[in-house]
């Protein structure tokens, strides 16, 4: 296990209890790569009950979700773009690639104009970006835009994604966006790893 010293400061101190001294921290470690706490975990552990609940919700969203992995990561990454949450993007771009998202698809997620711009006449640019996405992922991108930025999802946008997912998966997709919008707000609002004002990276 690597040293859990933090990177850049956040707006609150990082709390990294030594291994074996805190049951909640160790439960979070068990879900993380290399049993290592992230800077986000160090921020959340300022409130142990919140960190415990957060870990359980995160575990379900990541590992008990039945929507396809590439779609799940598209939803997470798109919410990072819309919320200007660089930390979230940096954590999930490698996961997205591992789930099968290509560089071209990541570029579409990163740069496709948000729905408000499409409404105002950027449809041709959107078509160019969507050409990198399957119909399922393009429908998920549109759904993510509405759910994240407008909250109220129009029926046609909902139905467009529903043709690819069952009712259980629609709940999971909507919940994934809700949870990761919460992640965005915590990581940006508390300046986790000093990334509050960092531009969301461009996939290479």
């Amino acid at each position: 296990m690597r040293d859990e010293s933090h990177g850049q400061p956040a707006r609150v101190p990082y709390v990294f209890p030594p291994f074996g001294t805190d049951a909640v921290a160790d439960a979070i470690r068990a879900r993380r790569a290399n049993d290592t706490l992230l800077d986000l975990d160090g921020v959340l552990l300022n409130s142990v009950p919140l960190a415990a609940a957060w870990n359980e919700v995160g575990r379900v969203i990541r590992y008990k979700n039945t929507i396809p992995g590439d779609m799940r990561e598209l939803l997470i990454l798109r919410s990072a773009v819309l919320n200007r949450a660089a930390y979230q993007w940096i954590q999930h771009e490698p996961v997205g690639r591992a789930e099968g998202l290509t560089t071209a698809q990541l570029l579409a997620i990163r740069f496709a104009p948000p729905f408000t711009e499409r409404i105002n006449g950027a449809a041709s640019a959107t078509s160019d970006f969507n050409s990198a996405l399957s119909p399922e992922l393009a429908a998920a991108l549109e759904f993510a835009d509405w759910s994240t930025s407008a909250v109220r999802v129009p029926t046609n946008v909902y139905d467009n994604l529903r043709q690819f997912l069952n009712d259980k998966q629609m709940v999971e997709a909507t919940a994934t966006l809700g949870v990761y919008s919460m992640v965005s707000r915590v990581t940006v609002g508390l300046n986790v790893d000093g990334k509050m004002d960092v531009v969301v990276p461009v996939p290479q």
Side-chain angles (χ1 to χ4, degrees), residues 48-96:
V48 173
L50 176 61
W54 189 292
N55 185 53
E56 181 60 19
V57 170
R59 184 185 67 82
V60 171
I61 292 293
R62 262 305 278 285
Y63 303 111
K64 300 295 184 179
N65 214 324
T66 64
I67 63 177
D70 57 348
M71 183 182 291
R72 181 197 70 224
E73 292 304 313
L74 176 149
L75 297 174
I76 294 169
L77 289 165
R78 186 61 171 178
S79 71
V81 171
L82 296 170
N83 293 325
R84 295 178 290 179
Y87 180 89
Q88 181 174 319
W89 178 281
I90 290 165
Q91 292 297 319
H92 278 271
E93 182 181 335
V95 182

Side-chain angles (χ1 to χ4, degrees), residues 179-199:
V179 167
Y180 275 90
S181 281
M182 179 173 68
V183 172
S184 297
R185 282 155 176 78
V186 169
T187 59
V188 175
L190 295 176
N191 197 21
V192 173
D193 194 26
K195 296 293 191 293
M196 179 175 67
D197 296 318
V198 173
V199 175

